[in-house]
Amino acid sequence: MSRTPPALILAVASLVAVGCGQDAKAPAESAEPRTTLVTTTTAQRMDFEVIERTVGSVESPIDPTVTAEVSGRVRQVLARAGDAVRSGQLLAVIDAADLKLARQGAAAEVARIEALLVNQNAILERNRQLVESNFISQTALDESIAQQRALAEQLAAAKSQLARVESDIAKTRVSAPLDARIDLPLVSEGDYVQPGTPMFELVSTQVLNIYLPFPETIAPRLKIGLPVTISSPVAEGDPIEARIDELKPGVVAGSRAVNAIVRMRGSLDWRPGASVDGAVKIDVRRNAVVAPEQSVILRPAGKVVYVIEGGRAMQRVVETGYKREGLIEIVSGLDGDETIAVDGAGFLTDGAAVSIQASETAER
């Protein structure tokens, strides 16, 4: 059996290796550099309003309980839970039959004493004349004067009793002491009530406290008088412009929040217990550099923005400030006229080639 010479085998192997090397190298020489598709915008300089938003609640500092002032059986209940009532509006009626009988008796007593007093006045006048003519003694006249004074005092007491009965009759008509809403009726028709029996729980809507909790981190920036925009899902109409009236001195233990209070007056549309959306303008950053939030990327070097220069993404480390409506303040790292990557920025590295799809503006 013949054998292939070693020299021939080595020559063939060398040719195969050269051919494979050429095939493997060809794709690398023909491949184009990879690019990342991004959208861009221009960092802008503008007056940047720093607005802090929160969800608060409505509370009423005035929530009186209407109680019965006289005894009797409830004849009518005219207000239901949730009703808006005005000051003086009739809420319920208590049976006044017994009091009307008492009024008749008191009126009769007044009339009786008035008749006695008229007669006593006539006797007193006649006795004065008799004393002048020396027909009776001064002692008799003094007795007549004493009787006249006693009857006058009795008449005053009888009239006072009649006035009290009249007042009690008026109190059988239970009215709202102020503009409010009925939170809870506590009596029904047919119930017997006595003085002090609770009949209605009210919540006033004429004076309302809007509690707005803000993070303790912004507490130093909260000031009485700062403008606030508030709205509630239970109230119709546009948001209301108001101002902070009070700042609670303490921090709420559970939420670590600081409560700002806005006082509202004269609105029956706002209901105690309802939620409130609040936005307070705590600062205005003049001529601030701003950019879209998604353009700021977290990298090992910190927060960075990719500035597009000559088709490549150049990494800039930035320091950020406040955020609002998708924009973020760039405190340092940008001058305010750079073209920066927005969509696709998270896939970039320093010096990466980019392909720009479209441009947008950072202004809002």
Side-chain angles (χ1 to χ4, degrees):
M1 182 175 63
S2 63
R3 300 179 62 184
T4 303
L8 181 60
I9 295 174
L10 181 60
V12 172
S14 298
L15 290 173
V16 171
V18 171
C20 292
Q22 290 177 345
D23 290 343
K25 186 176 180 181
E29 292 177 349
S30 61
E32 296 181 359
R34 292 186 58 187
T35 62
T36 302
L37 186 63
V38 298
T39 63
T40 63
T41 188
T42 302
Q44 300 286 326
R45 283 192 174 272
M46 59 189 294
D47 290 344
F48 189 66
E49 292 183 346
V50 181
I51 297 176
E52 189 73 26
R53 300 184 181 278
T54 187
V55 177
S57 61
V58 183
E59 295 185 16
S60 173
I62 304 173
D63 50 355
T65 298
V66 178
T67 60
E69 297 184 71
V70 295
S71 299
R73 198 165 299 280
V74 178
R75 194 175 68 186
Q76 286 181 294
V77 176
L78 304 173
R80 299 290 182 265
D83 288 353
V85 295
R86 297 289 184 180
S87 178
Q89 181 174 331
L90 189 63
L91 304 180
V93 178
I94 299 172
D95 189 6
D98 292 342
L99 290 172
K100 289 179 179 179
L101 290 175
R103 179 176 60 185
Q104 292 176 4
E109 180 65 9
V110 170
R112 184 186 71 83
I113 297 175
E114 285 178 339
L116 291 174
L117 186 58
V118 169
N119 183 61
Q120 185 62 30
N121 288 338
I123 292 174
L124 178 60
E125 183 61 28
R126 186 172 61 252
N127 285 347
R128 284 197 178 101
Q129 295 174 1
L130 292 175
V131 167
E132 292 175 359
S133 302
N134 294 321
F135 283 107
I136 63 172
S137 65
Q138 183 63 38
T139 301
L141 178 60
D142 291 343
E143 290 178 357
S144 298
I145 294 173
Q147 291 177 8
Q148 188 262 357
R149 289 176 178 172
L151 287 172
E153 291 176 358
Q154 291 177 31
L155 179 61
K159 286 183 175 180
S160 178
Q161 177 62 26
L162 178 60
R164 282 196 295 270
V165 174
E166 293 283 6
S167 176
D168 286 345
I169 290 175
K171 292 173 182 176
T172 61
R173 298 176 63 81
V174 181
S175 302
L178 44 72
D179 292 352
R181 284 187 180 273
I182 304 296
D183 186 41
L184 183 64
L186 301 173
V187 294
S188 301
E189 294 178 2
D191 288 347
Y192 186 85
V193 295
Q194 294 179 334
T197 302
M199 298 186 69
F200 297 93
E201 289 184 358
L202 307 183
V203 286
S204 172
T205 55
Q206 290 305 292
V207 179
L208 295 174
N209 286 343
I210 312 299
Y211 283 83
L212 300 174
F214 290 100
E216 62 179 345
T217 52
I218 71 164
R221 294 181 174 272
L222 292 175
K223 307 292 182 185
I224 293 176
L226 284 179
V228 182
T229 302
I230 53 177
S231 61
S232 175
V234 303
E236 298 180 351
D238 297 330
I240 295 176
E241 300 296 329
R243 293 187 179 274
I244 293 177
D245 293 299
E246 181 182 345
L247 290 171
K248 286 292 186 181
V251 177
V252 180
S255 61
R256 313 308 303 172
V258 176
N259 273 320
I261 300 176
V262 177
R263 290 192 176 88
M264 292 181 55
R265 292 173 174 83
S267 175
L268 285 174
D269 293 332
W270 290 66
R271 301 193 179 192
S275 63
V276 173
D277 296 319
V280 60
K281 186 194 298 183
I282 61 175
D283 197 4
V284 178
R285 312 287 279 186
R286 302 296 181 185
N287 199 31
V289 178
V290 297
E293 282 190 62
Q294 68 256 44
S295 67
V296 179
I297 308 300
L298 189 61
R299 291 289 187 252
K303 294 179 181 178
V304 304
V305 170
Y306 288 99
V307 177
I308 307 304
E309 296 178 350
R312 292 191 175 275
M314 310 307 294
Q315 179 175 293
R316 294 273 189 93
V317 178
V318 297
E319 180 183 351
T320 60
Y322 291 100
K323 301 176 183 179
R324 176 173 66 84
E325 297 176 355
L327 297 179
I328 187 168
E329 178 190 14
I330 306 298
V331 178
S332 65
L334 294 179
D335 294 327
D337 57 357
E338 298 90 343
T339 299
I340 58 177
V342 184
D343 295 325
F347 301 101
L348 297 176
T349 57
D350 190 23
V354 297
S355 175
I356 300 174
Q357 180 179 22
S359 294
E360 57 185 36
T361 177
E363 278 193 281
R364 296 293 172 97

